[in-house]
């Protein structure tokens, strides 16, 4: 039982998962550990919450071996990072949730043209959902981020 927050950036999402799901190990992975990660943990301690089930790993997300019975999340992982995370989740046969950010032509499709930026983003997320067999596409409020679509897949076998 593990959650992988791939391309975690500052790590806040992974820390929140660790705080909420105390019986689950949370592994935050990014190329570098950001100062904000330790700051968030210190703030939690100051508020009386010791969070000990989260760790950050400085690594290329391609090098992470996803364990069975895990969950992969990647939020605002730019360009190839979302694809790498979803490829890893698919190989391990584990469920995932991804909120793609930047989606450059040539990663999932050759080219989209004559679309405004929001239509292009929406269509690209649809392509991603189709390629990875998503069970659900949902969204958070666009006032939070304009890259607000979430692609999710659950796994019915013994993987997740």
């Amino acid at each position: 039982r593990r959650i992988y927050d791939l391309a975690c950036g500052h790590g806040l999402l992974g820390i929140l998962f660790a705080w909420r799901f105390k019986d689950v190990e949370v592994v935050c992975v990014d190329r570098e550990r950001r100062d904000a990660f330790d700051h968030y943990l210190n703030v939690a301690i100051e508020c009386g919450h010791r969070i000990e089930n989260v760790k950050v790993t400085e690594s290329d997300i391609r090098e992470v071996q996803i364990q069975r019975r895990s969950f992969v999340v990647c939020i605002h992982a730019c360009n190839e990072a979302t694809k790498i995370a979803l490829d890893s989740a698919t190989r391990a046969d584990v469920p995932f949730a991804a909120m793609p950010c930047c989606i450059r032509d040539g990663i999932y499709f050759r080219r989209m043209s004559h679309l405004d930026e929001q239509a292009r983003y929406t269509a690209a997320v649809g392509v991603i959902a189709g390629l990875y067999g998503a069970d659900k596409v949902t969204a958070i409020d666009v006032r939070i981020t304009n890259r607000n679509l979430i692609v999710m897949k659950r796994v019915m076998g013994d993987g997740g």
Side-chain angles (χ1 to χ4, degrees):
R1 296 187 28 108
R2 184 174 287 139
I3 297 172
Y4 292 92
D5 182 2
L6 299 181
C8 69
H10 49 66
L12 180 59
L13 180 64
I15 290 169
L16 291 172
F17 274 130
W19 175 76
R20 172 61 180 87
F21 303 106
K22 299 195 185 318
D23 61 334
V24 174
E25 179 186 7
V26 179
V27 180
C28 299
V29 182
D30 210 307
R31 289 184 178 166
E32 67 180 86
R33 181 184 186 123
R34 308 245 175 37
D35 292 340
F37 185 84
D38 295 312
H39 174 73
Y40 297 144
L41 288 176
N42 289 334
V43 168
I45 290 169
E46 289 172 12
C47 293
H49 304 284
R50 182 167 292 284
I51 301 172
E52 297 178 344
N53 57 324
V54 63
K55 69 177 182 178
V56 65
T57 300
E58 292 180 84
S59 175
D60 186 314
I61 62 173
R62 285 176 214 143
E63 297 173 11
V64 176
Q65 296 297 315
I66 305 298
Q67 304 284 316
R68 305 280 293 162
R69 302 193 51 76
S70 295
F71 181 79
V72 169
V73 62
C74 60
I75 304 301
H76 285 180
C78 289
N79 293 312
E80 289 86 354
T82 296
K83 183 178 188 320
I84 293 164
L86 297 184
D87 286 346
S88 295
T90 300
R91 274 192 308 277
D93 194 31
V94 299
F96 63 75
M99 183 185 289
C101 186
C102 311
I103 307 169
R104 189 172 51 236
D105 285 348
I107 298 172
Y108 306 99
F109 47 84
R110 278 191 18 208
R111 186 166 176 227
M112 285 191 194
S113 58
H114 306 296
L115 298 172
D116 67 38
E117 190 57 32
Q118 191 60 35
R120 184 187 178 288
Y121 172 73
T122 302
V125 170
V127 169
I128 293 168
L131 286 173
Y132 290 96
D135 298 307
K136 184 175 188 175
V137 176
T138 190
I140 63 170
D141 193 312
V142 73
R143 293 174 294 183
I144 297 170
T145 177
N146 66 339
R147 299 295 190 239
N148 66 326
L149 298 177
I150 305 167
V151 178
M152 301 192 302
K153 181 177 182 179
R154 58 190 173 141
V155 175
M156 299 307 288
D158 63 355

